[in-house]
Amino acid sequence: DVQLQASGGGLVQPGGSLRLSCAASGFTLSSYAMGWFRQAPGKERDFVAAIVWSGTVTRYTDSVRGRFAISRDNTKNTVYLQMNSLKAEDTAVYYCASYRHPYLDGAYDSEEFYTYWGQGTQVTVSS
C-alpha cells in the first residue's frame, strides 16, 4: 500500500516554530516532486510549498515565503516542512502529497495534479 504519514503538528504560540514530517511507504519518494498544502476551517485547501525530487528547487506561496522551508531526505523517504515565525493565520490541517512528476512544472500549486495524499496533521497557532 502507498502511504504518506504526516506528523509533527501541534499547538504553538505566535512566533514559534514547528517541523512537520511526511514519511512515505509503498513507493519511492525520490521519483516524485512533493508538496505541502493546508486547509483552514471553512476554507478550501491551499498550496503551501513544493520541492523537486532532488531537493534543488523549491516553490512557496507568498504568505509563507521567508518563514517556511521545505526539504527532503530521500534516503529516509521523508519530506519536511520547517515552519518559523508562525502566525494565527497559519492555523490549519497540513497535508503532504506527491506530485505527478519528479520536477515542478506550471501546475505545481494545483492539488488536482497531486497523486497520493497523507492524512493531515493539525497545526494550531494560538496564545
Side-chain angles (χ1 to χ4, degrees):
D1 285 352
V2 172
Q3 284 192 341
L4 290 172
Q5 183 72 38
S7 62
L11 174 63
V12 63
Q13 292 186 343
S17 298
L18 282 175
R19 188 195 197 198
L20 305 184
S21 298
C22 174
S25 60
F27 74 106
T28 304
L29 195 75
S30 59
S31 297
Y32 301 93
M34 296 293 295
W36 286 95
F37 286 74
R38 65 186 179 185
Q39 187 168 23
K43 295 187 177 181
E44 295 183 348
R45 189 159 57 185
D46 293 327
F47 170 77
V48 175
I51 187 168
V52 299
W53 71 275
S54 62
T56 55
V57 175
T58 57
R59 297 288 185 263
Y60 298 93
T61 192
D62 287 346
S63 63
V64 308
R65 188 174 292 111
R67 300 188 296 122
F68 290 11
I70 187 171
S71 62
R72 64 192 298 158
D73 185 341
N74 289 337
T75 66
K76 296 181 178 180
N77 241 24
T78 302
V79 177
Y80 305 97
L81 185 67
Q82 178 67 43
M83 305 186 296
N84 300 324
S85 302
L86 283 162
K87 305 175 181 179
E89 51 264 43
D90 295 319
T91 295
V93 177
Y94 284 70
Y95 299 89
C96 60
S98 61
Y99 193 55
R100 60 179 176 169
H101 299 309
Y103 53 88
L104 297 176
D105 55 18
Y108 65 84
D109 57 352
S110 298
E111 64 173 274
E112 63 184 289
F113 297 110
Y114 286 77
T115 306
Y116 301 116
W117 290 82
Q119 85 288 1
T121 185
Q122 176 71 47
V123 172
T124 302
V125 185
S126 175
S127 55

